[in-house]
Structures are given as C-alpha cells and as structure tokens.
C-alpha cells in the first residue's frame, strides 16, 4: 500500500533524477498563470464546466487545478514518489462532486486530459528555454501525463465509492419503505380487513417514499419468491443472488421469505427483466391491489406460493377462487368430507375419474354430455354413462345451488 491509499499505484522512482535542479523552479514560475489558463480552457471547451465558477463548485475546480500543478512540480523537485496523502482529498472531492452534480465521469476525465495538454504546451516551452536534451523532454512528458493519470484515478475511485455509498443508502431507504408497505395488519381476529386502522400515517409513508426516490403508485402487486442460491450482497434492498430487476421494483431477497413489490403492475410485468426474475425464482404473483393493500397482495401471493407446484410461477389474479379456498383449509376439508362422501365407496381410479367428470359438469354452461365429452376429450356415450353414475350418487345435490357451490369448492381444492 502506498501513500495514495491504493495498492500497486505506479510511482516514478529514480527516473526523475535526470532532470536539472533548476527545472522545478522554472515550472513553479510557470504555474503562477498556468492554473488560470487551464480553467479558462476547461470552461470554454467542456460544456459541463461552462457555468460561473462560484461557491463550492468553483472552489473545488480552482483548488483541484492548483493542487495538481503544485504537486507535479514538487514531485519533479523531489525525484518522484507517490501522490501526497494530504493532497489526495482534493482529487477525491472532485470525483464525489461530479456524482453530486448528477454527472458521469466523462466531463471530469475530459477536463483532466485538456488540462494536461494545456500544461504540457507551457512546460515544453520551459524545457526549450533550459535546453533540455530530447530524452529529458520525453521523460518530462511521460511523468506529466502519468501524474494526470494518477490524480484522475483518485477521482474515479472516489466517484465509485460515493456511488456505492449512495446506492447502499438508497437501498436501505427502499428496504425501509418496503417494510412499511408490507407490514402485517395489526388488527386482531380472523378477519384482518375488518375495522382496519392504517398502521402507517400517510405523511410517514409519503416521506419514506420521497427518501427512497420511489413515486407512490396507485396500484401494486406483491410477488412471493422461492429462495435462490448464490452470494448475498449484505445491503438491504439491493438485489442479490444475481437477480436483475427494474429499478422501481422494491425487493427483499435476503430475508427468510424473499419478495418483491411491483408498482404499476400493468406496465412493469411486461418488462423482460421482471419476467425473467419471476421465471428464475418461481415467483407467485399476488393480485393487483391499491397501494394500501400491498400487505394483502403479499399474503395471498405467499399462500399461493406455498400450494403451487414447486419451481413453477403462479398468478393469483387468475386464481382468486383458489385463494379463497386456501384461506381456511380445515373448513374446506370438512365441506369435502360431507359433500364428496358418495365417492368414498369407489376405487381410487373410479373416484378420480368421476371427480374430474363432476367438476367439468359443474363448470360447463349446461353440463350436458356433449359439453363434457369435448372438455374431457372422451366419447359422448362415455360422458352420458358417467353423468348417469353421478346422478345416482349425488341426486338432488346436482340441482341445488348451495350444494353445487360446495361441491365445486371441494373439487377445486383437490380434495376429491
């Protein structure tokens, strides 16, 4: 580790000893007006820096140029060495400043290159006045541009660190927002939607959304995911396990019950990234609901995930009746035991065949033999025989609306 705080950064070492002692003094004189020329050219040629150099922005640019020039001459005079640890914060501040201005590093790196060219035009005139040998001029050029590369690297590293810190902060804020939105309803009793008092005040939710840079949508859909293998990020709210997601999807991928919250589902569920994530992690999607019912959507999605075939995505919006049946399995089992009792005396094969026929009969518009034959891909005469068998077993139940509803519920629950 060197003085710049980066492992393996190159230094110039003893190669600087070839320079005459008077070179540093002459370069230092040149620097008195060089900083102003560099700043003028940067403002003229790089649009991002064309605004007046006032306040913190202007002070950072001025300080950066002057520090870089002064340090270069010091290194010439001292025969090389690493970047001065006390000056590194100046270059790092330039990198962080670009992030705070909302820019990429392109403008700053262009400014470094332009500043290097302007400085070199001045320095080569000094070299000629001093009658430096060709080899010494070439060495001066190499060291000058390597110096620029090193201070630019310090700025880039600071930019990347600030970017990572910002992403971590944003991730934690989004994780907090997700927690607020999917918090279980505190209302006691078996009917959580009864007399609900929202646990999170509107202003608290709005502020959390502003902090998370997350526009509050009108509707959302929760997704329950199966656990995924792979390294974890350790940053709440930041996608892990290699899962890539649209930027506005809130995610908790490292908890015991991984989940997503998708805003504006009609739009985002068409995003290829999200579709791939649902496929990769066998996502069970809860119904689209108003924002305040995000916890309900997640509860239903998790219920569906627990009962759906392993490794397969599932969509609750297409299975609302199944969700209703899953809400109270003991009650459904009791209903099935009573309503489907006529099938108990059959062999397993007969029971399965007639259960499928009965469900098809209940779900077709008229329940006729031709309809059943088409739906079950059997011969119409076979369908008539099965219908007669069902009539003998269930009799008047097949014409009673309540009985038909309970029979279909029991059959849909897979309890035949």
């Amino acid at each position: 580790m060197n003085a710049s705080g980066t492992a393996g950064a190159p230094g110039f070492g003893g190669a600087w000893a070839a320079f005459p002692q008077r070179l540093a003094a002459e370069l230092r004189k040149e620097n008195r007006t060089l900083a102003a020329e560099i700043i003028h050219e940067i403002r003229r040629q790089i649009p991002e820096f064309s605004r007046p150099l006032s306040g913190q922005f202007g002070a950072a640019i001025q300080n950066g140029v002057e520090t870089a020039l002064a340090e270069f001459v010091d290194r010439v005079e001292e025969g090389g060495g690493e970047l001065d640890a006390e000056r590194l914060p100046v270059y790092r501040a330039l990198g962080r400043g670009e992030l705070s201005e909302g820019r990429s590093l392109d403008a700053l790196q262009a400014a470094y290159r332009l500043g290097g060219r302007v400085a070199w035009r001045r320095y080569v005139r000094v070299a000629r006045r001093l009658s430096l040998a060709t080899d010494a001029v070439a060495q001066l050029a190499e060291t000058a541009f390597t110096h620029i590369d090193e201070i630019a690297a310090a700025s880039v590293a600071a930019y990347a660190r600030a970017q990572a810190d910002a992403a971590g902060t944003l991730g934690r804020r989004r994780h907090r927002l997700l927690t607020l939105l999917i918090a279980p309803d505190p209302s006691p009793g078996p009917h959580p939607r009864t007399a609900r008092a929202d646990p999170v005040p509107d202003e608290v939710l709005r502020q959390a959304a502003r902090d998370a840079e997350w526009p509050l949508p009108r509707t959302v859909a929760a997704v329950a995911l199966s656990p995924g293998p792979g390294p974890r990020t350790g940053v709440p709210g930041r996608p892990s396990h290699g899962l890539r997601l649209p930027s506005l999807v809130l995610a908790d991928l490292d908890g015991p019950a991984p989940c997503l919250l998708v805003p504006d589902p009609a739009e985002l569920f068409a995003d290829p990234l999200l579709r791939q994530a649902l496929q990769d992690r066998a996502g069970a999607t809860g119904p689209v609901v108003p924002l305040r019912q995000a916890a309900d959507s997640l509860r239903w999605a998790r219920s569906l995930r627990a009962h759906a075939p392993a490794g397969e995505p599932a969509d609750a919006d297409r299975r609302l009746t199944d969700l209703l049946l899953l809400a109270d399995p003991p009650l459904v089992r009791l209903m099935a035991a009573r309503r489907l009792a006529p099938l108990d005396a059959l062999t397993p094969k007969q029971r399965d065949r007639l259960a499928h026929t009965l469900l098809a009969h209940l779900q077709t518009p008229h329940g006729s033999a031709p309809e059943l034959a088409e739906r079950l891909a059997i011969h119409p005469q076979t369908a008539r025989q099965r219908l007669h068998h069902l009539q003998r077993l269930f009799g008047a139940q097949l014409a009673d609306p309540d009985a038909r509803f309970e029979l279909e519920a029991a059959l849909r629950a897979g309890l035949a």
Side-chain angles (χ1 to χ4, degrees), residues 30-87:
E30 202 70 25
N31 284 351
R32 294 171 186 170
T33 57
L34 178 54
E37 182 181 353
I38 289 174
I39 292 172
H40 172 77
E41 289 301 315
I42 288 174
R43 292 187 60 205
R44 187 176 68 85
Q45 298 189 40
I46 301 177
E48 291 84 352
F49 294 100
S50 62
R51 73 189 203 211
L53 297 181
S54 59
Q56 187 175 0
F57 169 78
I61 300 299
Q62 185 80 31
N63 192 26
V65 172
E66 292 177 351
T67 300
L69 293 174
E71 181 163 18
F72 175 68
V73 175
D74 288 348
R75 297 174 83 183
V76 169
E77 186 173 50
E78 294 165 6
E82 308 296 344
L83 290 177
D84 184 355
E86 294 184 1
R87 285 166 164 156

Side-chain angles (χ1 to χ4, degrees), residues 91 105 127 136 164 174 180 183 195 201 236 247-248 274 276 308 337 348 374 385 397:
Y91 314 132
L105 278 171
R174 289 195 169 183
L180 291 175
S247 61
L248 289 179
L274 186 54
Q276 187 62 51
E374 183 178 357
Q385 292 173 352
Q397 291 188 69

